[in-house]
Amino acid sequence: MLLLYYMAELTFSEIGKVEAVSRLYEGTSFKPCATTSLEVSSKGGYARSASRLFLEGIDFNLEYFPLKHLGYKCVIAVTGELYAGLAHPASLSVSLGISAKLDYAQIKELWDGVAAAAKEQGYKQLSLQLNPSPNGLAVAVHAVGLEEKLTEKRRIGVRSKDLVCVSGSLGAAYLGLQVLERGKSDVVKAKEDIEKYKMLVGAYLKPELSDRLVGALEEDELYPSAGYFVTHGLADAVKRLSRDTGLGVKIYADKIPFEGNTFSLGKELDIDPVSAAMNGGDDYKILFVIPILELEKFRRDFQTFDIIGHLALPEVGTVLVTPEGVELPMKAQGWNDWNED
């Protein structure tokens, strides 16, 4: 018991960076390495990469964010980008900026989440760098994956009327974050809220992805003509889709999937769930464009996806269609209405 207490209080200055890295790898399925190298499979392939930087106070709040969940989420953030590009995870690099307020035990908790997610998602290599930080915790992640050559060759170009599909409920993470923020000032209320809205809170704290998605698409010989990872709201992903394809996009508000108690919480917080889905962020869902001729196969074999819209002629722009049939131009943070001028 005394040994466990001592380990919990260990600081990096006591054990040193090299020994700390060595200890962090203990109990994981990965071997310590300073950098990762990419080995192309025997079938050949195209390398795809994704990077994210998470900063304390901007991207997460340690008042309510469990460190293990944070490590897990950081890995999912880049892995989703690989899956959207139909790539299989290969190598993952993590760099931590650590402030003096964090001890070894806390970083071990964070790293356990990273290692768990990396193993779950099928990464073959995992590297770690530790760095001092004067302003809280920073987590930088860089992932590399491989898209098979055959997959790239069989993809066809996007066309008007192709279907826009999404892998799960939207707006949940943003509303879950609001629950956690509200709970900072009332601990009793926070416990009640987290229990009542645990699915929404979970969508923010620990988003999950199926590690079988890309393999299942390949086995089905079903190749999306475009893919995006929804991290900054549906509107942002749709804007990127329109920009990259040169086509318009129609999304139908009554087709957007929501968690069961999203609307009751939205009413309680005076937040429109559709607005949360369009601009809330942190949903970590996959958006695919599916050729319309593959509709029946997609519906049969990928029932976790919802069809929420379709591509259209360029002059349509990016619009949200209300249940009454009114077409509202989409707005997204960081975007000018370049495609609607």
Side-chain angles (χ1 to χ4, degrees), residues 156-164 225 289-293 309-312:
I156 63 175
V158 295
R159 300 173 182 175
S160 178
K161 296 186 179 180
D162 280 353
L163 304 172
V164 178
S225 47
V289 175
I290 302 297
I292 194 167
L293 295 178
H310 60 81
L311 300 186

Side-chain angles (χ1 to χ4, degrees), residues 1-301:
M1 197 70 176
L2 288 174
L3 178 60
L4 291 175
Y5 177 79
Y6 175 72
M7 288 291 291
E9 296 298 321
L10 275 179
T11 64
F12 287 95
S13 61
E14 292 174 309
I15 59 177
K17 183 168 74 172
V18 175
E19 176 64 16
V21 170
S22 178
R23 292 189 187 192
L24 288 170
Y25 275 93
E26 292 177 2
T28 74
S29 58
F30 299 96
K31 296 180 179 179
C33 56
T35 59
T36 55
S37 59
L38 179 64
E39 294 182 4
V40 179
S41 68
S42 59
K43 296 180 182 179
Y46 299 94
R48 294 184 178 274
S49 64
S51 299
R52 282 286 302 271
L53 174 63
F54 293 84
L55 299 174
E56 183 180 351
I58 297 176
D59 300 294
F60 59 89
N61 189 328
L62 291 182
E63 288 185 58
Y64 50 70
F65 213 128
L67 284 163
K68 188 170 184 178
H69 286 359
L70 177 60
Y72 188 97
K73 182 174 181 176
C74 290
V75 175
I76 296 300
V78 287
T79 307
E81 297 285 359
L82 300 183
Y83 289 161
L86 301 186
H88 295 273
S91 64
L92 182 70
S93 300
V94 179
S95 182
L96 302 180
I98 305 168
S99 67
K101 70 178 182 180
L102 295 171
D103 59 25
Y104 170 80
Q106 291 170 308
I107 296 304
K108 177 68 164 61
E109 186 180 347
L110 173 72
W111 181 248
D112 284 347
V114 169
K119 180 180 180 181
E120 179 183 287
Q121 300 301 324
Y123 285 95
K124 304 299 187 293
Q125 292 181 313
L126 175 61
S127 71
L128 172 63
Q129 292 285 339
L130 301 179
N131 307 283
S133 170
N135 299 310
L137 177 64
V139 184
V141 283
H142 177 75
V144 178
L146 291 174
E147 178 189 5
E148 298 293 342
K149 282 186 177 180
L150 186 60
T151 299
E152 179 66 23
K153 288 180 179 180
R154 289 187 174 180
R155 274 184 156 183
I156 63 175
V158 295
R159 300 173 182 175
S160 178
K161 296 186 179 180
D162 280 353
L163 304 172
V164 178
C165 313
V166 70
S167 64
S169 302
L170 298 172
Y174 178 76
L175 289 170
L177 172 60
Q178 305 313 306
V179 170
L180 292 167
E181 284 289 326
R182 182 171 68 173
K184 289 193 300 184
S185 58
D186 188 337
V187 177
V188 175
K189 178 65 174 172
K191 290 182 179 179
E192 295 175 354
D193 279 349
I194 290 173
E195 179 59 32
K196 183 178 180 180
Y197 299 114
K198 58 185 177 181
M199 294 297 291
L200 302 178
V201 172
Y204 174 72
L205 292 179
K206 193 174 180 289
E208 298 184 355
L209 291 173
S210 170
D211 62 313
R212 285 287 303 131
L213 176 59
V214 176
L217 288 166
E218 290 172 344
E219 290 170 9
D220 234 14
E221 296 186 351
L222 201 163
Y223 303 100
S225 47
Y228 295 86
F229 194 39
V230 183
T231 58
H232 293 88
L234 178 60
D236 171 76
V238 170
K239 289 276 192 180
R240 285 187 284 147
L241 170 60
S242 180
R243 175 197 63 190
D244 295 345
T245 63
L247 294 171
V249 186
K250 287 188 177 184
I251 300 296
Y252 295 85
D254 57 357
K255 299 297 183 182
I256 297 173
F258 295 99
E259 286 288 354
N261 53 6
T262 294
F263 284 88
S264 61
L265 178 58
K267 184 176 182 180
E268 184 180 331
L269 297 176
D270 195 24
I271 296 174
D272 177 15
V274 175
S275 296
M278 298 304 293
N279 293 294
D282 267 333
D283 278 314
Y284 287 23
K285 303 300 181 185
I286 307 288
L287 182 148
F288 279 142
V289 175
I290 302 297
I292 194 167
L293 295 178
E294 302 285 3
L295 171 60
E296 293 308 316
K297 182 193 290 188
F298 188 77
R299 273 182 168 168
R300 182 190 69 221
D301 297 339

